[in-house]
């Protein structure tokens, strides 16, 4: 699926980002810092922060020239500076098309090329998000462990599955 491209965010992406991000089913699988409802103003604020990031750590996922989601990394520091945490979401209209799998592959290649100290890529997934777990499995991640009762999402205490890919 070579039509999947990760590129830096642009201000003109705000409308498309808000359209895919303002979705309860997307919100149910991301951290609470992700606004819900998700407005064009939220999108503009977030994109503005991303434009000024050096190095670029968050990318628009495009498929057939449409914004379909977002993928990014959280650089760890101190003794964990060899680890990068990966996160992503795909707009519901684009689920089950292989876009997330391809985006994760592209992002992992980018991490390996641009962040030479990185030896571990991690991803945390809520217990109910089986689709995301399949994406990680398909892209070479292995389940490192289950963090019992590690998160609260929608007022429910959930286990978090910790996935890792060693470089």
């Amino acid at each position: 699926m070579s039509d999947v491209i990760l590129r830096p965010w642009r201000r003109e992406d705000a409308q498309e980002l808000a359209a895919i991000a303002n979705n309860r089913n997307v919100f149910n699988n991301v951290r609470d810092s992700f606004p819900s409802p998700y407005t064009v103003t939220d999108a503009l604020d977030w994109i503005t922060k991303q434009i000024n990031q050096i190095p670029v750590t968050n990318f628009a996922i495009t498929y057939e020239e449409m914004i379909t989601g977002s993928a990014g990394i959280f650089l760890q520091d101190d003794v964990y500076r060899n680890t990068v945490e990966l996160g992503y979401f795909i707009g519901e209209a684009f689920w089950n098309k292989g876009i997330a799998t391809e985006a994760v592959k592209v992002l992992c290649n980018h991490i390996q090329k641009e962040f030479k100290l990185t030896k571990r890529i991690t991803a945390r997934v809520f217990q109910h998000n089986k689709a995301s777990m399949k994406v990680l499995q398909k892209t070479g991640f292995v389940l490192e462990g289950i963090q019992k009762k590690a998160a609260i999402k929608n007022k429910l205490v959930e286990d978090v599955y910790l996935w890792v890919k060693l470089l």
Side-chain angles (χ1 to χ4, degrees):
M1 181 172 283
S2 60
D3 290 341
V4 174
I5 296 170
L6 271 60
R7 64 159 174 79
W9 284 99
R10 305 174 190 144
R11 283 185 178 83
E12 58 267 25
D13 296 330
Q15 197 77 40
E16 279 185 278
L17 173 57
I20 62 168
N22 189 31
N23 179 304
R24 193 66 187 182
N25 291 325
V26 169
F27 176 77
N28 289 339
N29 293 301
V30 296
R31 294 180 181 182
D32 284 348
S33 59
F34 191 94
S36 181
Y38 198 106
T39 66
V40 174
T41 301
D42 293 322
L44 273 171
D45 289 348
W46 191 80
I47 290 170
T48 299
K49 289 177 190 166
Q50 302 317 307
I51 289 171
N52 297 319
Q53 287 280 29
I54 298 173
V56 175
T57 56
N58 287 288
F59 302 90
I61 301 170
T62 66
Y63 175 68
E64 296 179 349
E65 299 182 22
M66 293 180 293
I67 302 285
T68 59
S70 182
I73 59 174
F74 305 96
L75 302 172
Q76 307 300 297
D77 60 9
D78 202 339
V79 297
Y80 300 109
R81 64 189 170 273
N82 67 330
T83 301
V84 169
E85 184 177 356
L86 177 145
Y88 55 91
F89 80 86
I90 300 293
E92 187 172 12
F94 303 101
W95 289 0
N96 301 311
K97 297 182 186 308
I99 295 169
T101 300
E102 190 60 29
V104 169
K105 285 179 189 174
V106 170
L107 188 54
C108 287
N109 288 336
H110 173 75
I111 292 166
Q112 196 163 15
K113 193 164 84 172
E114 298 298 323
F115 299 95
K116 301 289 187 206
L117 276 180
T118 301
K119 302 296 178 216
R120 288 171 53 91
I121 305 171
T122 62
R124 289 181 169 84
V125 182
F126 297 129
Q127 67 191 39
H128 67 264
N129 193 346
K130 305 301 183 208
S132 191
M133 291 188 212
K134 284 182 185 175
V135 165
L136 294 168
Q137 278 183 307
K138 288 180 190 176
T139 54
F141 284 75
V142 295
L143 181 62
E144 187 170 69
I146 300 170
Q147 299 173 310
K148 296 292 188 179
K149 299 181 181 183
I152 300 172
K153 184 66 181 178
N154 297 324
K155 299 180 183 175
L156 297 173
V157 175
E158 287 204 56
D159 294 346
V160 174
Y161 285 61
L162 178 61
W163 292 83
V164 68
K165 181 174 187 168
L166 299 177
L167 302 177

